[in-house]
């Protein structure tokens, strides 16, 4: 691996770690300290002007609104409250209009091929949940930086086979959500980062047409389904 590529992979792992942490409901102080540290790095080295502005907005809002509590409140409003618009969190839901579909089977197979395993004692997420996928990608890329080329190849497969198909829709829903500020700005960064990933990994954007089931689940501000969300924890992948 060339030195330049290694630096890129290290940055990629940091971005996936950031997305995983900011999408976790866990309100522990060390998590927010890590987010603050990552924000400093990204503000100093933004991907583009839009990402720079988004990172600065997240950072300033966290400082002004009381840090972890403000983010936890928004997480509850965006992902937990039955009174706000519904954002699906699993690749299967975007693929088939339901959880636990073929994308979960595919994702579980990719996890099985890796040297990592889901920590079932603390993880309620399925293998195709966006939070799990971000953390899994981070771990795979970190292993690649340490010299495990197979993990890097597997990370590309996870991106191409699972994330690539639904991440644009997920990002669009975050951008549209009526309760979103932190996550709207996170989505701005995520959109830019995914474009970079596709360029770096030579993966074309998905052209998959939404099924009727998937289309019926698209966010609508006048549609408030009373669906109970499962809270998610970040400590989900172990050696």
């Amino acid at each position: 691996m060339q030195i330049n590529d290694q630096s890129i992979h290290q940055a990629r792992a940091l971005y996936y770690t950031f997305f995983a942490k900011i999408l976790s409901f866990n309100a522990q102080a060390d998590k927010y300290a890590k987010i603050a540290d990552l924000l400093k790095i990204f503000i100093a080295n933004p991907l583009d002007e839009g990402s720079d502005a988004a990172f600065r907005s997240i950072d300033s809002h966290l400082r002004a609104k009381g840090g972890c509590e403000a983010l936890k409140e928004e997480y509850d409003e965006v992902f937990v409250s039955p009174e706000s618009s519904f954002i699906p969190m699993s690749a299967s839901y975007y693929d088939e209009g339901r959880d636990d579909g073929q994308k979960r089977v595919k994702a579980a197979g990719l996890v099985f091929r890796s040297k990592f395993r889901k920590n079932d004692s603390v993880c309620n997420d399925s293998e195709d949940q966006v939070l799990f996928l971000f953390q899994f990608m981070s771990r795979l890329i970190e292993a690649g930086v340490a010299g495990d080329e197979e993990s890097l190849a597997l990370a590309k497969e996870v991106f191409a086979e699972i994330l690539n198909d639904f991440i644009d829709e997920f990002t669009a829903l975050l951008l549209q959500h009526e309760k979103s500020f932190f996550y709207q700005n996170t989505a701005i960064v995520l959109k830019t980062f995914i474009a970079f990933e596709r360029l770096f990994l030579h993966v074309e954007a998905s052209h998959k047409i939404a099924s009727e089931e998937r289309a019926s689940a698209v966010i609508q501000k006048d549609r408030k389904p009373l669906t109970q969300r499962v809270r998610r924890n970040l400590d989900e992948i172990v050696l």
Side-chain angles (χ1 to χ4, degrees):
M1 185 188 301
Q2 297 180 354
I3 294 177
N4 187 47
D5 282 350
Q6 186 173 35
S7 298
I8 292 173
H9 290 312
Q10 288 171 336
R12 293 174 64 218
L14 289 179
Y15 270 92
Y16 280 114
T17 296
F18 172 77
F19 295 132
K21 286 188 176 296
I22 206 165
L23 284 165
S24 167
F25 80 93
N26 191 329
Q28 294 177 356
D30 60 342
K31 168 196 153 181
Y32 293 95
K34 180 65 173 179
I35 289 176
D37 290 342
L38 289 171
L39 285 171
K40 291 177 183 177
I41 295 171
F42 297 144
I43 289 172
N45 305 276
L47 286 170
D48 61 6
E49 291 183 0
S51 297
D52 184 31
F55 279 132
R56 291 179 186 275
S57 292
I58 294 171
D59 185 53
S60 62
H61 207 61
L62 279 174
R63 295 174 187 273
K65 299 296 183 178
C68 62
E69 284 304 314
L71 185 52
K72 180 181 181 298
E73 287 176 8
E74 184 169 311
Y75 178 94
D76 288 342
E77 291 178 335
V78 173
F79 296 110
V80 179
S81 173
E83 297 181 356
S84 66
S85 299
F86 176 49
I87 297 182
M89 297 288 281
S90 72
S92 290
Y93 206 106
Y94 291 92
D95 187 49
E96 302 176 42
R98 66 183 181 91
D99 291 327
D100 299 323
Q102 289 302 309
K103 287 294 185 181
R104 181 178 185 180
V105 175
K106 177 68 174 179
L110 293 169
V111 174
F112 184 76
R113 284 168 50 196
S114 78
K115 66 180 183 181
F116 302 106
R117 293 295 178 266
K118 185 159 73 84
N119 189 343
D120 291 323
S121 64
V122 295
C123 177
N124 292 320
D125 286 347
S126 61
E127 292 83 352
D128 68 335
Q129 292 277 349
V130 64
L131 172 60
F132 182 90
L133 290 168
F134 285 152
Q135 186 68 358
F136 186 39
M137 286 290 291
S138 178
R139 295 293 177 88
L140 288 173
I141 296 168
E142 287 172 354
V145 170
D148 185 355
E149 293 292 337
E150 289 185 3
S151 286
L152 275 183
L154 190 58
K156 179 177 179 177
E157 195 169 345
V158 172
F159 181 86
E161 298 295 328
I162 310 295
L163 275 169
N164 190 50
D165 267 355
F166 80 93
I167 198 63
D168 291 338
E169 288 183 72
F170 176 74
T171 303
L173 298 186
L174 287 181
L175 285 168
Q176 296 172 35
H177 199 281
E178 70 273 13
K179 299 290 186 180
S180 178
F181 177 85
F182 288 119
Y183 294 116
Q184 185 178 80
N185 281 284
T186 298
I188 291 170
V189 179
L190 181 57
K191 184 176 181 179
T192 299
F193 176 71
I194 292 300
F196 169 82
E197 283 285 85
R198 286 169 174 152
L199 183 65
F200 183 72
L201 297 173
H202 305 289
V203 174
E204 291 188 6
S206 175
H207 300 295
K208 187 170 186 176
I209 303 299
S211 65
E212 289 184 7
E213 292 84 359
R214 236 186 357 159
S216 70
V218 171
I219 195 168
Q220 296 176 12
K221 291 189 177 180
D222 59 349
R223 176 177 176 270
K224 314 290 186 183
L226 298 178
T227 303
Q228 180 65 41
R229 276 48 162 232
V230 176
R231 287 176 174 255
R232 298 166 172 83
N233 198 319
L234 187 62
D235 302 323
E236 52 192 22
I237 302 177
V238 294
L239 287 172

